[in-house]
Amino acid sequence: MKQKLRSILKSKWFMLLLILLGISLCIRIKTEYAYYTKYTRVTENASDYIRNKYGFHAELVSTPEKNSSYWEGEKGSVSVTMRYDGKEFWVEADKSKDNPECFDNYQEDEIAAAAERYISEKLPDGKIISLRYSDRNSPYCFFINDYFDGSNLEQILENCYASLEMVFADREFSEADIAELPFDAIDLTAFDTAEHRDEFLSRLPEFRIYEYIDYQKYAPYITDYIGKSKDGITGLDVTLLETAEFAYAYFPSEWNTYTKSRNDIQAESREISSIYRNLEQKGAEQWVSHPISNGYYFDSGWGDVRIYYPLEKLQDHDPQNLHIVWYSFGGMSNNYGIKRAEICGEYAVFNIPFGRSQFVIVDDTDQESTVPHS
């Protein structure tokens, strides 16, 4: 038995196993040490920064998991959660060196309230939708390095990348409206009436996928716009085109905006029978059995074609039962669809996909099955 044990201990495979175990242990120790070093540096940087900036000691609440990607690499920063006097907040601290230049959002609510008062003084007739800021050296919204003392709001915003989105009613804009505002990006939009503006605001929780799409749906009510960005100052350049039945606008995707449309597409008449035949091939011809509009065809590029159908022309129909049925010749695998109307103000608003599409508005009151592609 002893001879066999000696033989095993002398074997090259056993020696190789010991070497591999040793390498694995060294790697693990090195990894643990690297994490502990970065963890210690981040937490100490954050604590020192808060103490020096605000004069109090904050409790460390949480850090990212040890195996998370935040700890990977030797450079960069990590955000940790801290607490003081019952209030939790975030601190972004460097993991590669002892660095007092951290960022935090401890004063976020205080700064936001001061900024809202400031904006209300400058533009008292508007309503704020979005107010964002972040230190130019931090990727996180509302994280800054500067201390807000109650009187240096403009300095803080000028040191940040700051953006502002507001809506107004019955307003015309000029560059004087934004000339003195310390924001890198500004979007001011005017609606024709306070009622339409406030309806739009009430729908935002339902919308807000892409901001520009929200506004596109209310384009008939938008009367003015002024924007500021790195590309300069822009205004409103939207034309609603019309058929005998509805208005429409084409918003190309390369702009991704509601402030500029193209006028080079036309709504062409199409026989409803041709739409019926194409839907019949899909086994969905029943959805064209109750048309309430003529048939039409659009040939557009990438982007959104918004159709605004006046509800006053649809008084005999429940808006909840209105759909647009479209068929695309663009070669898509899902080349047809039935989409429910969105009621925006006094319009039933529809959207059809880009490309070459024919469509008709229908009333699906008598349909009992589930609407496909809705």
Side-chain angles (χ1 to χ4, degrees):
M1 184 68 179
K2 291 182 180 180
Q3 183 67 29
K4 186 175 181 181
L5 180 60
R6 291 192 191 97
S7 176
I8 292 173
L9 293 176
K10 290 180 180 179
S11 72
K12 62 180 180 179
W13 297 112
F14 181 74
M15 295 303 295
L16 179 60
L17 177 61
L18 288 179
I19 292 171
L20 292 175
L21 289 174
I23 292 173
S24 176
L25 181 60
C26 288
I27 292 174
R28 182 171 182 178
I29 292 173
K30 183 178 179 181
T31 301
E32 290 291 326
Y33 178 76
Y35 163 73
Y36 175 77
T37 300
K38 286 182 276 193
Y39 174 89
T40 302
R41 184 176 291 121
V42 164
T43 55
E44 289 182 352
N45 279 346
S47 295
D48 291 346
Y49 162 75
I50 292 298
R51 184 172 56 254
N52 292 333
K53 182 175 181 179
Y54 298 111
F56 58 72
H57 174 73
E59 169 194 0
L60 180 67
V61 176
S62 65
T63 65
E65 293 290 334
K66 180 170 65 174
N67 296 324
S68 74
S69 60
Y70 294 101
W71 299 107
E72 294 177 359
E74 298 303 319
K75 296 182 179 181
S77 59
V78 174
S79 292
V80 301
T81 308
M82 305 192 80
R83 181 190 296 121
Y84 175 72
D85 195 24
K87 178 179 180 178
E88 288 193 4
F89 57 97
W90 290 84
V91 180
E92 179 192 355
D94 201 296
K95 65 181 176 181
S96 63
K97 58 185 176 181
D98 295 333
N99 184 356
E101 190 178 80
C102 302
F103 310 94
D104 72 284
N105 69 338
Y106 178 73
Q107 292 184 300
E108 177 184 339
D109 294 340
E110 187 179 353
I111 293 172
E116 289 180 7
R117 290 193 298 270
Y118 170 86
I119 294 165
S120 294
E121 292 175 1
K122 299 287 187 180
L123 299 167
D125 54 332
K127 294 192 176 184
I128 298 173
I129 289 180
S130 174
L131 168 64
R132 296 177 179 273
Y133 61 87
S134 63
D135 195 289
R136 296 187 188 277
N137 295 312
S138 171
Y140 301 108
C141 195
F142 308 119
F143 279 51
I144 64 170
N145 178 260
D146 293 332
Y147 174 73
F148 176 55
D149 63 11
S151 64
N152 60 339
L153 177 68
E154 289 189 358
Q155 176 188 342
I156 285 177
L157 294 178
E158 287 171 354
N159 290 340
C160 291
Y161 176 83
S163 64
L164 173 66
E165 178 187 1
M166 297 183 70
V167 289
F168 300 76
D170 191 21
R171 182 73 141 78
E172 291 185 1
F173 300 115
S174 70
E175 292 191 23
D177 292 316
I178 62 175
E180 298 181 0
L181 295 176
F183 294 91
D184 298 84
I186 299 174
D187 292 286
L188 308 182
T189 305
F191 288 77
D192 56 352
T193 66
E195 289 75 19
H196 289 140
R197 177 201 62 190
D198 293 344
E199 179 186 323
F200 173 80
L201 288 172
S202 71
R203 300 285 295 278
L204 288 186
E206 171 190 343
F207 293 159
R208 287 286 110 162
I209 299 176
Y210 298 105
E211 286 83 349
Y212 63 89
I213 292 179
D214 307 343
Y215 289 97
Q216 286 179 4
K217 296 172 183 178
Y218 278 81
Y221 305 119
I222 294 176
T223 55
D224 203 6
Y225 166 86
I226 190 168
K228 174 186 174 183
S229 68
K230 60 182 177 60
D231 298 322
I233 307 297
T234 54
L236 187 67
D237 185 17
V238 173
T239 300
L240 296 183
L241 305 175
E242 294 188 355
T243 70
E245 294 189 76
F246 55 80
Y248 64 94
Y250 170 48
F251 301 95
S253 62
E254 61 263 31
W255 296 329
N256 281 348
T257 183
Y258 63 98
T259 66
K260 186 178 182 181
S261 67
R262 274 176 46 184
N263 305 330
D264 56 350
I265 67 165
Q266 297 296 322
E268 303 175 21
S269 295
R270 283 290 189 275
E271 292 294 332
I272 293 178
S273 58
S274 66
I275 302 176
Y276 183 92
R277 286 193 298 272
N278 286 311
L279 268 292
E280 189 177 28
Q281 297 174 7
K282 303 292 184 179
E285 68 277 7
Q286 70 272 22
W287 296 102
V288 198
S289 58
H290 296 289
I292 61 174
S293 77
N294 294 320
Y296 293 91
Y297 170 88
F298 276 128
D299 186 357
S300 67
W302 292 86
D304 296 306
V305 177
R306 301 283 172 192
I307 297 167
Y308 311 97
Y309 208 112
L311 291 177
E312 64 181 4
K313 295 183 178 181
L314 303 170
Q315 294 180 0
D316 296 333
H317 305 276
D318 182 347
Q320 298 303 315
N321 295 325
L322 299 179
H323 286 75
I324 188 169
V325 181
W326 57 267
Y327 181 89
S328 173
F329 298 93
M332 299 181 294
S333 56
N334 295 324
N335 60 348
Y336 80 102
I338 296 95
K339 291 289 185 179
R340 190 180 301 277
E342 291 190 77
I343 309 306
C344 300
E346 290 78 47
Y347 290 95
V349 180
F350 304 93
N351 185 43
I352 62 171
F354 62 88
R356 297 178 296 121
S357 299
Q358 59 182 9
F359 64 91
V360 64
I361 310 298
V362 302
D363 185 330
D364 69 352
T365 303
D366 297 331
Q367 296 297 337
E368 297 180 357
S369 60
T370 302
V371 179
H373 301 295
S374 62

